[in-house]
Amino acid sequence: DGCIKAVGQADVIRNQFSEATFERIIDCSGKCVLPGLVDAHTHPVWAGDRVHEFAMKLAGASYMEIHQAGGGIHFTVAHTREAPEQELLASFQRRLERMLRAGSTLVECKSGYGLDLETELKMLRVIECAKKSMGIGISSTYCGAHAVPKGKTATEATDDIVNNHIPKLKELKLCGEIHVDNIDVFCEKGVFDLESTRRILQAGKDIGLQINFHGDELHPMKSAELGAELGARAISHLEEVTDEGIVAMARAKCAAVLLPTTAYMLRLKQPQARKMLDEGVIVALGSDFNPNAYCFSMPMVMHLACVNMKMSMNEALAAATINAAYALGKSDTHGSLEVGKQGDLLIINSSRWEHLIYQFGGHEALINYVIVKGKVIYENERCETMSSY
């Protein structure tokens, strides 16, 4: 059934299963077995990269300056609206393959580059199709409130989402066409304010979606306080979260999904991981893979979390496994090696698991096997012939 049957000392396991037959036995002598990594925040369905904007950012342009000049999300929206569904699916599947090879076995995937109902549904259909055709686990998120569409005010966009988008999602969910897990809003100055965010998140919650949204990234918006009040499962970014917001999230058991790649690439203030951990917040990690933060690798995300956000390697590993699974409402089945949980694991070509974080960008020679539901879905032949050091 793809679930873990036993965990323990080698000799105990050998005795317990001495009569059993196996399709395959993997010799892990001198290697490490870890839970599959969980990427709690990605935007992986889109067309049209933004490599030209990287040069603008390096020259000093801010995220909002690029956004207001018609770049950023709007640039990607224009290309994604025009892209045929099959083209979006093909590029999405290639990206998922790269995430898998970097050790991710469960990934949160957002829509949000449509901003109109037709394109948002196109993106969600692409995510649904990948769920059925790919080995990797997917938690899907409707993020129609990723930006205010051109020609609309935030209030008009909110009305459209609450009155048209969400009822359509409910209809498609009931007839089994699309299964969306989470609802997301970009709560930010000049995008969706606190009241619009509240309306959209509540409407999503009312049709059974988990609240999992962008908050307090560029300006303190009291997003953390709002999320705690609404019973949000998780809030992402939080570079500008208030002390009161941190306390509220800890009390509400609302996970903080921190994105070290974003703070690094946009040269923002780093999220206060240490303060959150000290206050008892459940801290998770995500790659924030998108055209603005092009990173597939959770091992690199963990490295950045340790160096830039002062997390320990143990904390970073927990944040990229069990806590990230919690942020997606999946910690009862994913994120750790326990009897009864789904058999998602990595085998590392090293006797110390810490090499996965210590070696920045070294995962290509370190990850020997990626296993999902007890089946090997990626085997790295190079590990047999090369040392990982």
Side-chain angles (χ1 to χ4, degrees), residues 89 92-93 96-97 125-136 138:
L89 178 62
F92 177 41
Q93 287 173 321
L96 287 174
E97 280 292 339
R125 280 195 303 271
V126 163
I127 294 169
E128 194 68 31
C129 189
K131 267 189 197 177
K132 291 174 181 151
S133 62
M134 302 282 291
I136 197 167
I138 291 174

Side-chain angles (χ1 to χ4, degrees), residues 62-337:
S62 75
Y63 178 88
M64 287 314 271
E65 281 165 357
I66 292 170
H67 187 72
Q68 281 150 6
I73 291 171
H74 292 304
F75 176 88
T76 306
V77 166
H79 284 75
T80 306
R81 283 179 177 176
E82 286 168 20
E85 203 161 311
Q86 279 309 113
E87 183 189 304
L88 286 175
L89 178 62
S91 60
F92 177 41
Q93 287 173 321
R94 286 194 298 272
R95 290 164 191 159
L96 287 174
E97 280 292 339
R98 288 179 70 179
M99 290 175 181
L100 200 60
R101 291 200 299 270
S104 293
T105 55
L106 174 63
V107 180
E108 184 265 3
C109 299
K110 302 177 192 292
S111 71
Y113 292 119
L115 310 185
D116 59 24
L117 182 56
E118 187 189 343
T119 317
E120 288 296 311
L121 291 178
K122 176 170 73 172
M123 295 179 75
L124 290 170
R125 280 195 303 271
V126 163
I127 294 169
E128 194 68 31
C129 189
K131 267 189 197 177
K132 291 174 181 151
S133 62
M134 302 282 291
I136 197 167
I138 291 174
S139 175
S140 68
T141 301
Y142 163 72
C143 186
H146 195 196
V148 177
K150 285 181 177 173
K152 278 196 169 133
T153 64
T155 306
E156 288 167 342
T158 302
D159 289 341
D160 184 31
I161 288 165
V162 170
N163 300 327
N164 300 313
H165 291 215
I166 290 174
K168 187 67 181 175
L169 287 182
K170 183 182 180 181
E171 181 193 315
L172 293 169
K173 193 178 169 188
L174 287 171
C175 71
E177 241 177 88
I178 291 176
H179 300 278
V180 178
D181 302 296
N182 317 289
I183 182 147
D184 192 352
V185 175
F186 187 14
C187 181
E188 186 53 72
K189 201 171 169 181
V191 193
F192 290 92
D193 65 13
L194 210 61
E195 208 35 58
S196 298
T197 300
R198 178 194 297 276
R199 282 185 63 204
I200 295 166
L201 294 176
Q202 187 61 55
K205 187 179 179 180
D206 291 345
I207 68 158
L209 301 180
Q210 291 183 128
I211 296 175
N212 188 335
F213 70 111
H214 290 62
D216 296 329
E217 178 185 359
L218 304 171
H219 299 92
M221 298 287 293
K222 294 200 181 300
S223 302
E225 291 89 328
L226 174 69
E229 181 197 325
L230 292 178
R233 170 55 66 160
I235 305 170
S236 291
H237 283 291
L238 300 164
E239 287 86 352
E240 297 289 342
V241 69
T242 63
D243 291 351
E244 295 76 17
I246 291 174
V247 170
M249 286 180 73
R251 282 199 190 124
K253 294 190 164 43
C254 171
V257 179
L258 305 185
L259 309 168
T261 47
T262 315
Y264 164 73
M265 291 193 195
L266 294 178
R267 296 167 173 162
L268 301 175
K269 183 169 83 180
Q270 293 288 332
Q272 300 176 70
R274 277 266 53 88
K275 186 170 177 60
M276 291 180 197
L277 288 162
D278 293 345
E279 293 284 352
V281 175
I282 297 161
V283 172
L285 290 171
S287 68
D288 197 15
F289 172 79
N290 74 74
N292 173 58
Y294 208 104
C295 175
F296 295 107
S297 166
M298 285 304 289
M300 292 175 84
V301 168
M302 289 190 283
H303 179 102
L304 289 171
C306 292
V307 174
N308 290 341
M309 299 194 320
K310 303 182 171 59
M311 290 174 77
S312 72
M313 287 191 283
N314 286 359
E315 287 166 344
L317 182 65
T321 51
I322 190 69
N323 291 3
Y326 175 87
L328 303 178
K330 301 253 192 191
S331 53
D332 54 342
T333 51
H334 293 71
S336 58
L337 302 179

Side-chain angles (χ1 to χ4, degrees), residues 41-57:
H41 183 123
T42 80
H43 302 258
V45 183
W46 46 267
D49 68 44
R50 304 212 301 256
V51 66
H52 59 286
E53 286 180 12
F54 189 51
M56 292 164 71
K57 285 199 279 279

